Amino acid sequence: MKVKFIASLWSNRELWWRLTEREILGRYRGSALGILWSFITPLAMLAVYTFVFSQVFKARWGTLENAGPLGFAINLFAGLIVFNVFSECNSRAPNLICSNPNYVKKVIFPLETLGSVAVGNAGFHALTSLSILLVFELIAMQRIPLTVCWLPLVWLPLILLSLAGTWILSAAGVFLRDIGQLINVALNMLMFLSPIFFPVSALPERWQPILSLNPLAVIIEQTRRVTIQGLNPQPLYIVAGTMAGFAICEISFRIFQKSKRAFADVL
């Protein structure tokens, strides 16, 4: 069976690159610090979260516990990077088509590219945050684990899951405008139900299998495994996660393609 979404992404790769570049540069156009905001914003949020959870609530993390608040910050930040990619893509998705009616009504445009642009934009900011994480690790551990080279494979299911969610939610947002509010509430809940501020091992054993049903939980734990703990990713995660990601992406793409025939009538 032909994988249609890969063929579509490849045929529109130049358009995707230009639109992603325009969106990244346009986001900071006119500001005094420009693209530096992509580094300042995560650093500011990281400082607040770290102070509250490590100093006010006295939270501790087994990994890098000797590094004190800096060790907690590194573990926290690794989880935040993963969540922010997923959250940014899915929070924007419901309004993605509605905010670009000209692409639907007046020109022949591959609308599925808008979803991949959103993912590309989120991926860029994830890479800037990753560079901050690696600098913090170098300060805390005096080294960066070589296993970080596994990160592209660890994040591949995350990218595929985010892309699939973007296509589904952008199509649904055309027909059901309230879905944007619902998604924002769901993402806020998901943030605290994901192991961002705590490791899965900190939960009672009876709750750990339930939390593991959250796909972000597995991705976050595997991200910490290769970027902080210096361990190779679990082979089962790489194989099963990638296969599931491709399958979900293909299904979402086909649903989007069928749904977009009605976009012009609704808008």
Side-chain angles (χ1 to χ4, degrees), residues 47-60 69 72:
V48 172
Y49 282 130
T50 302
F51 172 76
V52 170
F53 283 91
S54 67
Q55 301 302 309
V56 178
F57 293 111
K58 302 297 182 181
R60 290 293 179 266
F72 185 90

Side-chain angles (χ1 to χ4, degrees), residues 22-78:
R22 187 184 72 175
E23 182 162 334
I24 292 171
L25 296 177
R27 186 170 183 171
Y28 304 105
R29 185 175 292 119
S31 63
L33 296 178
I35 205 167
L36 285 177
W37 282 111
S38 63
F39 294 91
I40 295 172
T41 302
L43 274 174
M45 296 306 298
L46 174 62
V48 172
Y49 282 130
T50 302
F51 172 76
V52 170
F53 283 91
S54 67
Q55 301 302 309
V56 178
F57 293 111
K58 302 297 182 181
R60 290 293 179 266
W61 213 295
T63 307
L64 296 181
E65 188 168 0
N66 294 334
L70 185 57
F72 185 90
I74 290 172
N75 282 284
L76 171 69
F77 201 34

Side-chain angles (χ1 to χ4, degrees), residues 36-229:
L36 285 177
W37 282 111
S38 63
F39 294 91
I40 295 172
T41 302
L43 274 174
M45 296 306 298
L46 174 62
V48 172
Y49 282 130
T50 302
F51 172 76
V52 170
F53 283 91
S54 67
Q55 301 302 309
V56 178
F57 293 111
K58 302 297 182 181
R60 290 293 179 266
W61 213 295
T63 307
L64 296 181
E65 188 168 0
N66 294 334
L70 185 57
F72 185 90
I74 290 172
N75 282 284
L76 171 69
F77 201 34
L80 274 177
I81 293 173
V82 173
F83 177 80
N84 285 342
V85 171
F86 184 80
S87 177
E88 183 176 346
C89 295
N90 287 277
S91 61
R92 290 185 56 193
N95 295 318
L96 208 56
I97 305 299
C98 296
S99 60
N100 294 282
N102 288 338
Y103 289 156
V104 179
K105 297 179 178 181
K106 298 183 179 180
V107 296
I108 299 175
F109 184 85
L111 293 173
E112 62 273 12
T113 304
L114 295 176
S116 61
V117 169
V119 174
N121 183 56
F124 168 78
H125 290 97
L127 291 177
T128 61
S129 296
L130 177 63
S131 65
I132 295 172
L133 174 67
L134 296 180
V135 169
F136 272 51
E137 282 192 35
L138 196 58
I139 295 172
M141 302 188 298
Q142 288 79 52
R143 65 180 178 84
I144 297 174
L146 291 177
T147 52
V148 75
C149 296
W150 284 104
L151 198 56
L153 282 178
V154 171
W155 278 2
L156 181 57
L158 171 65
I159 298 301
L160 294 171
L161 186 63
S162 300
L163 186 57
T166 303
W167 280 330
I168 286 291
L169 293 176
S170 62
V174 175
F175 306 102
L176 184 61
R177 302 300 173 89
D178 289 343
I179 198 170
Q181 304 300 324
L182 179 63
I183 291 302
N184 287 331
V185 173
L187 289 173
N188 286 330
M189 295 173 62
L190 185 63
M191 182 177 184
F192 291 99
L193 293 175
S194 300
I196 298 173
F197 307 105
F198 55 87
V200 173
S201 58
L203 291 174
E205 289 187 7
R206 67 178 183 274
W207 295 113
Q208 290 183 20
I210 297 176
L211 185 65
S212 297
L213 295 176
N214 175 2
L216 288 186
V218 183
I219 299 172
I220 290 171
E221 289 291 295
Q222 293 298 313
T223 298
R224 291 192 179 116
R225 185 179 174 92
V226 301
T227 59
I228 299 174
Q229 299 171 18

